[in-house]
Each structure stands twice: as structure tokens, then as C-alpha cells.
Amino acid sequence: MTDQQHIYLDYAATCPVDPAVLQHMLPFFTEHFGNAASRTHAFGWEAEEAVSRARAQVAAVIGADAKEIAFTSGATEANNLALKGVAEFLKDKGNHVITVVTEHKAILDTGKHLERNGAEVTYLSVGSDGLVSMQALADAIRPETVLVSVMFANNETGVVQPIAEIGALCRSKGIMFHTDAVQAYGKVPIDVNEMNIDLMSISAHKIYGPKGVGALYVRRRRPRVRIAPQIHGGGHERGNRSGTLNVPGIVGFGAAAELAKTSMAQEAARTLELREHLRTRLEAEIPDTIVNGSLEQRLPGTLNVSFAYVEGESLLMGLKGIAVSSGSACTSASLEPSYVLKAMGLDDELAHSSLRISVGRFTTRAELDSVADRIRDQVERLRAMSPLWEMVQEGIDLKSIEWAHH
Ligand SMILES: *Cc1c(COP(=O)(O)O)cnc(C)c1O
């Protein structure tokens, strides 16, 4: 996706609404504007029918039943509802929750909140490939563990966790399993039954739907999962989440989900090919290019790379007009190196020099070729000015140097 001066390669942050999705939404702003909770007239019935359709469309992508989808304002809310909802409902059963250090802030900050309210939270570490260890997870489980929350795919690296294995372990121990599947939903096959997933957070705007709408999948059978609602007022969404439904947004979510389902195989193959084209060009043309995270266990469209001996901020400045992110999109304003990459063992310098490049439905090979050229030229320019790079080229081992500290 390109306008005059910009190339968009930040699909993991958000996507444009697909024009076909927008067409489905438009009538629900003006013509079919009814409240889906109005039971006494056709305006309400029409809205309710559209919401039901969307619920089925969203559920079908993950092998769920429509009744198991609770619409929310997005995945941040869905993550809050899952963690707080389970912790509160099961507080008499146990107070221990397990999650991972590389989760999205919507999980980590909610975990902090649970801790302030007396829960115990274990944050599992990850390997240099970004993956959690099944052994570490098994070892962390205690009799009072009520919930395990592990993201399906990481938003910064695209690394995909062993979700089916984690689901099987949790099910065998009778522990609820939640996954933040925002990045994976509609991109890779997911089956909540085969994978023993009890709760799942998803978001419309990461699959070419509108911003401000998402959902929590809540398993209803084998076992029936109960959560305590966090927003009260009318008992919408089977009591899980009150509030007048965002009908146009939900219709858009449904249309986006259906599009994602029908085009998944083809789009995954296309985005993988594009990503691999970019990766192989960068690795071939720029020495000391480091791909962050497992290359095998990874979403098709996401690449995270670091360039040794290059200062990250200067690199981004040199890439004006190319929309990529460095570190985490949510925390990059703070200039803190990415906590996800640091958890994978990267030092501050490499974490700082990282770029997340995420391709999507409207990305072209020509765009990636021009971006590869630009990145190569900028890295070369910055390294030409770097005394460290010069020393490395002369064969000096930087680790052997005693730096004078002032
Ligand atoms: C984008 C994202 C979220 C937040 O979703 P919103 O719908 O924007 O609130 C949560 N988790 C992950 C992994 C994400 O990528």
C-alpha cells in the first residue's frame, strides 16, 4: 500500500479497512441503525440479525460456536476481561496465574493489576528464539494455578508459540487456557477444540476490519468456562460484557473474518513469499543482519531484523516515508529498547537497531524492493560513519577492548 510518499509495512500495528468490508458496514450507520437489543420493532431485529451473522462469521474462523463469541471494544478489553474475569470467578479455587514476559502490554499490565489485588503471577521467560519452554511451563504449574495465558503469535517478532501443546497440558491439569491470538487470527489455521483453547482474544483492525471492535471467545462446552463480567449494565453478550453493541463495527468484523477465512491459504502463501523475498535480500546485501526470533515458528507476514553497528534512531530517520516500527509500537515513543527483544537476550544496541516489518494484503514486491534498497543504503551510510564498524572491519574484537569511561 503506497500513497505519494509513503510505503506501509506496519500491518502488525493496524490494517486499512478492506474496501469490501467498508461496503458491508456503511448501511448500518444510516439505514439499518437499529439497536440490536431492541426486541419490539424491525429496526432492532434487523440489527440483531446482522450481529448474529457476524458472530457466526467470526466464530467460523476458529471452529467455535457463534454463542461462544462475546464482542468487546477490542483485544485490549478482551484480554482484560479474560484475565480479570477468570481470576475473579475462580478466586476461591486458586490465585495463581501464569503468563509470559513477551506478552502484549494488555496482558502484562493486567497481570500487574491482578498482583496488586492479591493474585500471584508467574512470568515465564523465553529462549533466544522467542519461544516458551514446555518444561518451564509444566514446572510453574501449582495446585492453585487457575489460568495460563500465552499469546498465539508475538506482535513484535511474529514468533508462534506451541499453542496446541500448551492447551493439551492445561486441559490435562484442569487449568483454564487463554491465548491472545490477535496477530494469528485469520492468518494461520486455528481450531479452539483441537488446540484445547478455553478463551481467546481477537481484534478486527488487525484483519482489515474497523478499529474499536474485538471479541473474546469463551468456551461453552467441555468444559463450560465461566468468567466474571468487568463491565456491568444490561447483561448484553450473555452477561459477559454489557453495553449497546457497535453494530457497524461488528458487521465489519464479521465481513473481515469471512474474507480472512476464504483467502487465508492464498494470502499466507503470498505474504510468506514477500517476507522471504525481503529477508533474503537483506541478509544477502547487508552483512551482520540478524533475524530476531525463530524463522520456522513464525507468522508468514512478520519480520523482525537488527543491523549490528547501526544506531536505531538514525536508521529510522533515514527511512522517512517507510512505515515500519522499531521496538514495540506502543512503547517506542519512550525510546526504551524493546522488552520483547531484550527478553530474547538481545543487548540494548541490537534491540535499538531493530525494525519490525510486517507485510499484508496490499503489499507489493516492488514496494519491498524499494524498501530493501533504502535499508541497505542507509545501513551502509551509517556504518561508513561508525568507528565501531571500522574497527570490526579491521578485525579488532570489540569485546577485547577496555573502554575508557568518563
Ligand atoms: C494489537 C494487539 C492487541 C490490542 O488490540 P486492540 O484491539 O488494538 O486493543 C493485543 N494483543 C496483541 C498481540 C496485539 O497485536
Side-chain angles (χ1 to χ4, degrees):
M1 167 147 284
T2 312
D3 63 22
Q4 246 90 71
Q5 302 95 21
H6 298 95
I7 296 178
Y8 190 75
L9 291 175
D10 207 9
Y11 284 84
T14 194
C15 305
V17 172
D18 190 295
V21 168
L22 178 65
Q23 288 311 311
H24 284 286
M25 294 173 65
L26 286 175
F28 290 89
F29 286 101
T30 49
E31 232 179 299
H32 311 302
F33 59 84
N35 186 327
S38 297
R39 298 283 153 81
T40 50
H41 51 69
F43 294 85
W45 303 333
E46 213 171 46
E48 161 57 20
E49 203 178 292
V51 167
S52 291
R53 224 171 85 85
R55 212 183 284 287
Q57 288 169 315
V58 167
V61 176
I62 54 173
D65 188 273
K67 292 192 185 77
E68 298 175 308
I69 300 297
F71 288 115
T72 64
S73 65
T76 298
E77 187 192 329
N79 282 341
N80 271 262
L81 176 57
L83 268 59
K84 294 174 186 172
V86 169
E88 186 180 330
F89 195 85
L90 295 180
K91 64 179 186 299
D92 296 331
K93 186 169 181 245
N95 70 342
H96 181 231
V97 173
I98 300 172
T99 184
V100 185
V101 289
T102 51
E103 292 287 315
H104 191 273
K105 287 290 183 188
I107 294 289
L108 296 178
D109 288 351
T110 305
K112 293 273 175 306
H113 171 85
L114 295 181
E115 288 182 275
R116 282 192 298 272
N117 284 272
E120 287 195 50
V121 182
T122 299
Y123 300 89
L124 299 174
S125 58
V126 296
S128 58
D129 53 7
L131 292 164
V132 291
S133 131
M134 287 306 298
Q135 190 57 53
L137 172 59
D139 292 345
I141 292 174
R142 311 176 192 166
E144 61 276 18
T145 306
V146 290
L147 176 69
V148 168
S149 180
V150 177
M151 72 199 318
F152 207 112
N154 186 268
N155 45 300
E156 286 191 38
T157 60
V159 167
V160 174
Q161 299 292 352
I163 293 300
E165 274 182 77
I166 297 170
L169 176 64
C170 292
R171 182 62 51 85
S172 76
K173 304 268 180 193
I175 298 167
M176 291 291 120
F177 175 40
H178 167 257
T179 184
D180 172 346
V182 172
Q183 293 288 333
Y185 178 91
K187 313 273 170 57
V188 294
I190 301 178
D191 188 301
V192 289
N193 296 312
E194 275 174 22
M195 295 175 167
N196 292 302
I197 295 165
D198 297 315
L199 300 128
M200 180 192 299
S201 302
I202 51 182
S203 180
H205 73 102
K206 306 282 175 81
I207 61 158
Y208 309 89
K211 294 169 185 55
V213 57
L216 182 66
Y217 157 78
V218 185
R219 173 173 290 282
R220 274 169 62 87
R221 293 173 57 231
R222 289 181 288 150
R224 179 186 177 86
V225 173
R226 307 278 301 278
I227 54 175
Q230 302 299 309
I231 296 179
H232 303 89
H236 307 71
E237 299 301 273
R238 292 170 208 283
N240 286 327
R241 200 277 191 180
S242 290
T244 301
L245 291 178
N246 170 4
V247 177
I250 288 167
V251 167
F253 192 5
E258 181 158 335
L259 247 179
K261 184 169 189 278
T262 53
S263 62
M264 188 188 305
Q266 177 222 329
E267 208 157 294
R270 203 184 78 89
T271 51
L272 177 64
E273 206 241 276
L274 287 170
R275 184 202 83 196
E276 283 299 283
H277 175 63
L278 177 66
R279 179 183 69 84
T280 47
R281 270 206 60 187
L282 294 177
E283 287 190 326
E285 297 172 31
I286 309 174
D288 293 289
T289 294
I290 297 140
V291 174
N292 298 312
S294 166
L295 198 52
E296 294 74 36
Q297 307 299 313
R298 174 185 293 265
L299 294 176
T302 305
L303 185 65
N304 191 306
V305 278
S306 295
F307 305 99
Y309 317 109
V310 166
E311 212 264 306
E313 296 313 308
S314 318
L315 178 56
L316 268 193
M317 299 273 258
L319 296 176
K320 277 216 169 61
I322 300 174
V324 295
S325 66
S326 92
S328 159
C330 309
T331 50
S332 56
S334 65
L335 292 183
E336 275 290 302
S338 151
Y339 67 90
V340 171
L341 298 180
K342 288 192 73 174
M344 291 160 58
L346 266 74
D347 61 27
D348 280 11
E349 282 70 35
L350 273 183
H352 259 308
S353 77
S354 74
L355 296 180
R356 175 186 69 186
I357 304 170
S358 44
V359 305
R361 190 170 288 167
F362 306 109
T363 305
T364 64
R365 200 176 167 98
E367 286 176 329
L368 291 180
D369 275 324
S370 107
V371 167
D373 291 345
R374 285 277 300 282
I375 294 176
R376 180 199 57 216
D377 294 350
Q378 287 305 314
V379 171
E380 277 175 8
R381 182 181 70 85
L382 292 167
R383 282 180 178 168
M385 306 187 308
S386 157
L388 287 183
W389 177 249
E390 198 178 323
M391 290 162 79
V392 170
Q393 296 317 101
E394 286 164 7
I396 299 170
D397 178 5
L398 294 183
K399 291 194 185 72
S400 70
I401 297 173
E402 298 243 350
W403 300 100
H405 289 280
H406 300 282

